[in-house]
Amino acid sequence: MPERAALERDAQGRLPRPNLSVKVSALTPLLRPDAPERGKRDAAVRLRDLLRLAREVDAHLHIDMESLDSREAIAELVLELLAEEEFRDGPSAGVVLQAYLRDSPELLDRILEWARETPRAHPLVVRLVKGAYWDHEIVEAASTAGPRPSSTSRPTATATSRP
């Protein structure tokens, strides 16, 4: 495929052509709210391998923060791995946040603080998406009488996720 300079550079410099996304839950069946450390340990092995491969082939790797019940463990895992000396020089990486969740602004603040304090060759990319897990979150909250992650009305949830 021919190079397209306008699409392959930004103010920070050259951008990786391959841009991949991964769901940590696809890397391990052990990522559960009742045992987050066990799931993190199991997923870390596979995620490290993916980060190494992404660096080797000069790809960008986005990691999805996923649903509310596993999001905190995934956020900790991703930030811990990306802070490791081995990954400070790459690959280019980012996180995907569910904008409709009530506490996404707080998580975004934590991620931005981490990015300011953690030296990396490539800036951390944050991608906001709306509603990817909304249906699941609402059904889960209703079936467990747990806290609702956002409005139970999709139009309201969509409106609240806009800047």
Side-chain angles (χ1 to χ4, degrees), residues 6-136:
L7 298 176
E8 296 178 21
R9 299 190 72 72
D10 68 6
Q12 301 290 321
R14 193 182 136 325
L15 298 170
R17 288 186 107 185
N19 192 316
L20 311 168
S21 292
V22 64
K23 294 183 184 312
V24 176
S25 64
L27 303 177
T28 178
L30 303 177
L31 193 61
R32 307 177 80 67
D34 56 340
E37 291 304 315
R38 183 176 181 203
K40 283 172 50 180
R41 280 192 307 274
D42 191 55
V45 174
R46 292 174 184 87
L47 190 52
R48 276 190 189 95
D49 287 344
L50 288 174
L51 288 166
R52 289 178 187 123
L53 182 59
R55 183 180 56 215
E56 182 181 313
V57 300
D58 193 27
H60 175 85
L61 186 64
H62 261 107
I63 301 125
D64 195 329
M65 292 291 107
E66 300 194 53
S67 59
L68 192 59
D69 64 352
S70 60
R71 192 179 60 167
E72 190 60 35
I74 292 171
E76 290 172 5
L77 170 65
V78 170
L79 299 181
E80 288 167 9
L81 291 183
L82 292 176
E84 290 178 358
E85 188 65 36
E86 176 180 4
F87 300 117
R88 293 230 172 153
D89 289 331
S92 172
V95 295
V96 181
L97 292 181
Q98 306 298 319
Y100 70 95
L101 294 175
R102 293 180 194 271
D103 62 346
S104 285
E106 289 83 11
L107 179 56
L108 178 59
D109 287 342
R110 285 185 18 227
I111 290 169
L112 293 175
E113 181 179 340
W114 176 92
R116 281 190 294 273
E117 296 174 356
T118 307
R120 288 187 38 83
H122 301 276
L124 184 70
V125 175
V126 177
R127 183 171 70 199
L128 292 175
V129 297
K130 64 175 188 173
Y133 297 93
W134 182 82
D135 295 321
H136 167 76

Side-chain angles (χ1 to χ4, degrees), residues 99-102 105 134 150-151 153-163:
Y100 70 95
L101 294 175
R102 293 180 194 271
W134 182 82
S150 68
S151 169
S153 158
R154 184 174 289 277
T156 302
T158 298
T160 58
S161 68
R162 291 190 178 132

